[in-house]
Amino acid sequence: MRKTVTYLIMATLLASCSTTRHIPDGEQLYTGIKKIEIDGEKVYAASSTGQQAMEEVVAALDRAPNGAIAGSSTYRGLPVGLWWYNAFYNSKGRIGRWFFETFGDAPVLMSDVNPELRAQVANNILKYYGYFNGSVTEKIITDKRNSKKAKVIYNITLHKPYLYDSIQYRGFTGKADSLIKATKAERLIRKGEQFSATAINSERERINTLLRNNGYYYYQPTFTRILADTINTPGYAQMRIEPQAGLAARNNRPYTIGNINIHILRNNTAQYAGSKNDTIRRSRFSYIYNGEKPPVRPGTMLRNIYMRPGELYSQEAQQKTVSRLSQINIFGNSNITFTPRGESDTLDLNIMAQLDKPYDFTFEMNVTSKSNNQIGPGSIISLSRKNLFRGGETLTMSLKGSYEWQTKDEGITDKDLLNSWEMGADVSLTFPRLFLPFFQRRLMRIPSSTSLRVYVNRLNRSGFFRMIHLGGDLSYKIYTKSTTTHTITPLRLTFDLLRDTSEKFDEIVANNRSLQNSFRDQFIPAMQYTFVYDNTKTRHRNKSYFEGSITAAGNITSLAFCAFGKGWNQKDKHLFENPYAQFVKLTAELRQLYRIDRNNFIATRIMAGILHSYGNSEYAPYSEQFYIGGANSLRAFTVRTVGPGSFHPAKETRYSYLDETGTLKLEANIEYRFRIISELHGAIFVDAGNIWLTKKDESRPGGEITMKDFAKDIALNTGFGVRYDLDFLVLRLDFGLGLHAPYKTNKNGYFNLSPFGNGFAWHFAIGYPF
């Protein structure tokens, strides 16, 4: 039966291979752009404005044909979708129509592409960027073997672009004119630069923002008129910037903030339906709420409002207020309006905000399977209580756990099989402001938060050891922009406690000094700074995320010891009856998401980290060292099964997770994401990376990084996956196929892994890997 169905499908596809089978009379199938000829290439390459113009011209001419490779207008593969379209074009059955609608790709007709119109749009773009004498023409080339197929040739002719000549600002009111003159250095169009309508529009927006940040509440970008005279001096544009004639008086005067009225609505409005509103009144301030007491303390609201009575209206302050009310994460929605007070120059500020539900619950889960017969699930459960003390505070409690077991392995008896588990708890309290002595009033208007956290984590490696991590930290987050965050952790205290070691573990550690020092009981007093840039929630076509962090441990403690006469490099100094760690750790991660079209994306990630121990520590703590592999890393390998370098543990200790950590990490990932059907998406990926040692370790030969072996030390895998995207939740199933392992395997050559043998792993997880 299966063979019959296969033969029917193949016969159907072969019968539909004539791609012009259903092209209407008088039409042609568009098969792409044959070439784009540019006359005057040096003219546009000489400036960034010219390069931007050419990018937009090419984008206007681009149109992908059927079977395009990665959306290309020039390179075309097999038009499989068009074959399906032709095969089931006249089908009336339910199955046939499903194939037609699901897999069919309607032919791209030349009339739909409309090269003449595209050339005209491209002409307008050239003029938009100052190429007033430039031109774009098109020519349709019919296929010699099939008159119903055709390509397009575009010719772009460029001449020297126009430049700005004199630039005059006139007609503005006295205060507005003073503001414009005071910000002369910030102007976006200057004499001698290439004419660009984009720069002109940006200058119009700059003037609008400048005025609105200085009280001009009713001013709009369209109120600024920018005129260009390109006739008086050939090759040059004389510019005149002025307000539109006949503007109303309110458009040309600044406004100040009057009264501030805040109305807080509870999330359970039905419960308070019968209660009356109460109002707290202060000078030029009203706080309206219902219930026995204010659901949010008035001081908390004022701290997060960046406008005050008597100050000039500011668009920037308004936007910061909206952003801050969202950041404190206790309101489901909020609305800000301004009411003019009669004919005066005063605006009353009105804020209406409704509290969100008080509790948040999240659940994350992943399952991993590896061809070395290890399998196991992991999960994280979090519960948050918002607005705990009516000041925007958030209390979050998290529980995490994972379990991994080894089902079988050649040469390993049942009693030696590894069963490993990890459990942890985390409690944090976040305040929507900075708690810093002596700086409260100065820092009150900075968007920020303070977090206190305590945690405990227990790691159990069956037959080897049990390790307990417990500690806490104090962190400050400062939001300098909507896309940038600075996190300062001046205090992070951690205890690493090793318990219940086995004879087998003791024997391994006794012969390995680095492991002995990494696993000892120790105290880790650290400080950390993290910078994050994240524009993934903006309207940018391509998304970027960068995170950089530096952690230093033990330095202040060592300075204190030095003050009492103990040397900086003296070893085995103790605090709280345990040696303390001393190291510096740097990490960086860059993610990029490139949008091809609404259904196709390319995602990339580069990660790097380095860890150096010194002073009181010969080796860094095990909990701080780097590892690689897993559902969000090298997806053909499980966690801690690669590295350091070309080192690979002996068979009898391979599953102890003791050796495969390092002090240097490099990793890169690239993933092509595409839509299959509806909410079902697919991915093809490549992962590469490894960890290394920065200090030579005789017990782990090949672990140290060297330029000679760097390339072959990089583990490499490819793979594919499917994702079901529910907007609020992404279910992910990835299959990793190993290509190269940095250690010796039973295969010779670079490709020393069997993709569906010892190099295969699958991961089920929630969320994208990066």
Side-chain angles (χ1 to χ4, degrees), residues 366-382:
N366 67 78
V367 177
T368 296
S369 176
K370 181 71 172 68
S371 58
N372 64 2
N373 302 306
Q374 287 180 282
I375 186 170
S379 63
I380 301 174
I381 300 173
S382 296

Side-chain angles (χ1 to χ4, degrees), residues 523-574:
F523 175 56
I524 309 173
M527 304 173 67
Q528 186 175 25
Y529 167 73
T530 302
F531 170 79
V532 173
Y533 172 81
D534 183 3
N535 74 350
T536 56
K537 295 181 180 179
T538 66
R539 294 185 177 182
H540 287 75
R541 179 181 177 86
N542 299 321
K543 310 294 186 182
S544 301
Y545 176 91
F546 173 78
E547 179 177 326
S549 178
I550 179 170
T551 304
N555 292 328
I556 293 179
T557 309
S558 285
L559 285 173
F561 273 98
C562 287
F564 287 95
K566 292 192 176 183
W568 177 269
N569 292 316
Q570 181 179 338
K571 305 292 184 182
D572 295 324
K573 296 189 285 284
H574 286 63

Side-chain angles (χ1 to χ4, degrees), residues 166-203:
S166 60
I167 302 174
Q168 297 180 350
Y169 293 77
R170 65 186 197 184
F172 291 93
T173 59
K175 184 175 181 179
D177 187 61
S178 298
L179 288 169
I180 292 171
K181 287 179 179 178
T183 57
K184 183 177 180 180
E186 300 173 12
R187 293 177 182 177
L188 301 176
I189 57 175
R190 300 176 185 277
K191 184 175 181 178
E193 293 181 348
Q194 182 174 336
F195 180 93
S196 167
T198 298
I200 290 172
N201 289 332
S202 297
E203 176 65 6

Side-chain angles (χ1 to χ4, degrees), residues 437-722:
F438 313 113
F439 293 96
Q440 285 295 307
R441 298 187 67 86
R442 189 180 304 176
L443 300 174
M444 189 169 63
R445 284 196 174 189
I446 300 176
S448 55
S449 65
T450 302
S451 294
L452 295 167
R453 181 174 71 111
V454 293
Y455 56 88
V456 61
N457 190 65
R458 174 169 170 168
L459 178 68
N460 190 83
R461 300 301 182 205
S462 177
F464 289 93
F465 66 90
R466 176 167 57 90
M467 177 170 276
I468 299 174
H469 307 284
L470 56 92
D473 56 52
L474 167 67
S475 295
Y476 300 107
K477 278 191 177 181
I478 302 173
Y479 309 93
T480 52
K481 295 180 182 179
S482 61
T483 55
T484 56
T485 304
H486 304 265
T487 303
I488 302 168
T489 304
L491 183 64
R492 194 188 80 185
L493 304 177
T494 305
F495 286 93
D496 280 356
L497 305 174
L498 184 64
R499 296 291 181 269
D500 301 335
T501 61
S502 66
E503 292 183 6
K504 191 173 185 178
F505 174 84
D506 293 337
E507 182 181 346
I508 295 169
V509 170
N511 298 319
N512 191 320
R513 182 173 174 79
S514 65
L515 288 176
Q516 190 177 46
N517 281 273
S518 297
F519 276 88
R520 65 180 179 176
D521 290 355
Q522 56 188 313
F523 175 56
I524 309 173
M527 304 173 67
Q528 186 175 25
Y529 167 73
T530 302
F531 170 79
V532 173
Y533 172 81
D534 183 3
N535 74 350
T536 56
K537 295 181 180 179
T538 66
R539 294 185 177 182
H540 287 75
R541 179 181 177 86
N542 299 321
K543 310 294 186 182
S544 301
Y545 176 91
F546 173 78
E547 179 177 326
S549 178
I550 179 170
T551 304
N555 292 328
I556 293 179
T557 309
S558 285
L559 285 173
F561 273 98
C562 287
F564 287 95
K566 292 192 176 183
W568 177 269
N569 292 316
Q570 181 179 338
K571 305 292 184 182
D572 295 324
K573 296 189 285 284
H574 286 63
L575 188 65
F576 303 123
E577 300 183 355
N578 283 289
Y580 65 86
Q582 193 170 5
F583 62 84
V584 62
K585 182 178 182 180
L586 291 89
T587 60
E589 178 181 2
L590 175 63
R591 305 179 201 165
Q592 294 282 144
L593 183 66
Y594 301 97
R595 177 178 175 176
I596 300 172
D597 56 39
R598 65 177 183 174
N599 294 321
N600 295 272
F601 300 86
I602 293 178
T604 63
R605 175 175 62 176
I606 299 174
M607 298 178 65
I610 188 168
L611 173 64
H612 176 65
S613 55
Y614 54 92
N616 202 46
S617 297
E618 184 178 0
Y619 298 96
Y622 180 74
S623 59
E624 294 289 340
Q625 294 183 30
F626 299 110
Y627 58 86
I628 203 166
N632 300 326
S633 182
L634 301 180
R635 280 166 277 186
F637 306 87
T638 46
V639 176
R640 294 184 179 91
T641 57
V642 179
S646 60
F647 172 77
H648 202 47
K651 187 78 170 178
E652 61 272 14
T653 63
R654 185 168 303 165
Y655 303 110
S656 65
Y657 289 82
L658 304 183
D659 303 308
E660 299 189 71
T661 59
T663 52
L664 175 65
K665 179 178 180 178
L666 294 173
E667 183 179 346
N669 315 81
I670 184 169
E671 187 170 278
Y672 170 51
R673 299 172 182 171
F674 54 92
R675 178 176 173 270
I676 299 174
I677 180 175
S678 189
E679 287 82 21
L680 186 65
H681 299 256
I684 300 171
F685 55 82
V686 175
D687 306 316
N690 203 346
I691 53 172
W692 291 268
L693 301 174
T694 52
K695 297 179 180 179
K696 193 173 183 63
D697 186 350
E698 298 293 343
S699 61
R700 289 186 281 181
E704 189 177 10
I705 187 168
T706 62
M707 291 304 298
K708 181 182 70 172
D709 298 323
F710 178 77
K712 66 181 182 181
D713 280 353
I714 299 291
L716 180 68
N717 70 252
T718 185
F720 60 92
V722 292

Side-chain angles (χ1 to χ4, degrees), residues 1-275:
M1 179 65 181
R2 186 180 299 173
K3 288 184 177 181
T4 303
V5 172
T6 302
Y7 291 149
L8 284 173
I9 292 175
M10 291 179 63
T12 302
L13 290 177
L14 288 172
S16 62
C17 282
S18 174
T19 54
T20 58
R21 185 176 173 185
H22 294 292
I23 301 297
D25 292 338
E27 289 280 8
Q28 289 180 304
L29 177 68
Y30 168 76
T31 57
I33 297 174
K34 187 172 183 179
K35 60 181 175 179
I36 297 178
E37 299 174 340
I38 303 175
D39 182 13
E41 190 168 347
K42 292 182 179 179
V43 173
Y44 82 84
S47 69
S48 58
T49 301
Q51 293 168 15
Q52 177 67 28
M54 190 52 60
E55 286 179 11
E56 293 191 21
V57 165
V58 172
L61 301 178
D62 270 349
R63 176 65 164 91
N66 296 102
I69 298 176
S72 171
S73 297
T74 305
Y75 300 103
R76 187 168 177 249
L78 297 175
V80 178
L82 186 54
W83 292 350
W84 284 107
Y85 178 91
N86 289 331
F88 295 97
Y89 182 80
N90 294 317
S91 178
K92 301 190 183 299
R94 183 176 298 177
I95 295 177
R97 295 307 297 173
W98 181 82
F99 271 104
F100 179 79
E101 294 171 1
T102 304
F103 300 107
D105 185 14
V108 179
L109 302 178
M110 190 62 73
S111 61
D112 296 330
V113 177
N114 201 339
E116 184 180 358
L117 178 61
R118 288 178 180 273
Q120 184 57 51
V121 171
N123 267 305
N124 293 337
I125 293 173
L126 289 180
K127 292 176 175 55
Y128 192 85
Y129 284 99
Y131 296 97
F132 294 107
N133 297 322
S135 65
V136 180
T137 59
E138 82 292 339
K139 185 178 181 181
I140 297 174
I141 307 298
T142 301
D143 191 301
K144 294 179 180 179
R145 292 176 294 179
N146 187 340
S147 61
K148 285 199 171 185
K149 290 183 180 180
K151 289 182 177 290
V152 183
I153 294 177
Y154 292 103
N155 182 271
I156 303 172
T157 302
L158 297 174
H159 295 284
K160 187 178 178 181
Y162 274 58
L163 307 179
Y164 296 121
D165 194 8
S166 60
I167 302 174
Q168 297 180 350
Y169 293 77
R170 65 186 197 184
F172 291 93
T173 59
K175 184 175 181 179
D177 187 61
S178 298
L179 288 169
I180 292 171
K181 287 179 179 178
T183 57
K184 183 177 180 180
E186 300 173 12
R187 293 177 182 177
L188 301 176
I189 57 175
R190 300 176 185 277
K191 184 175 181 178
E193 293 181 348
Q194 182 174 336
F195 180 93
S196 167
T198 298
I200 290 172
N201 289 332
S202 297
E203 176 65 6
R204 181 184 285 112
E205 286 289 346
R206 186 191 74 84
I207 293 172
N208 176 71
T209 301
L210 175 66
L211 297 181
R212 284 180 60 83
N213 282 340
N214 286 275
Y216 290 80
Y217 174 73
Y218 288 103
Y219 203 86
Q220 299 294 327
T222 55
F223 295 165
T224 300
R225 183 171 63 174
I226 301 181
L227 305 175
D229 182 357
T230 59
I231 298 175
N232 193 35
T233 306
Y236 291 88
Q238 295 177 342
M239 309 299 298
R240 192 169 77 240
I241 302 171
E242 58 189 26
Q244 294 280 3
L247 291 179
R250 68 176 190 174
N251 302 133
N252 276 320
R253 67 181 185 188
Y255 283 78
T256 57
I257 301 298
N259 297 330
I260 298 178
N261 306 306
I262 303 173
H263 191 174
I264 303 295
L265 300 175
R266 299 179 185 266
N267 70 298
N268 51 347
T269 53
Q271 179 180 345
Y272 294 87
S275 61

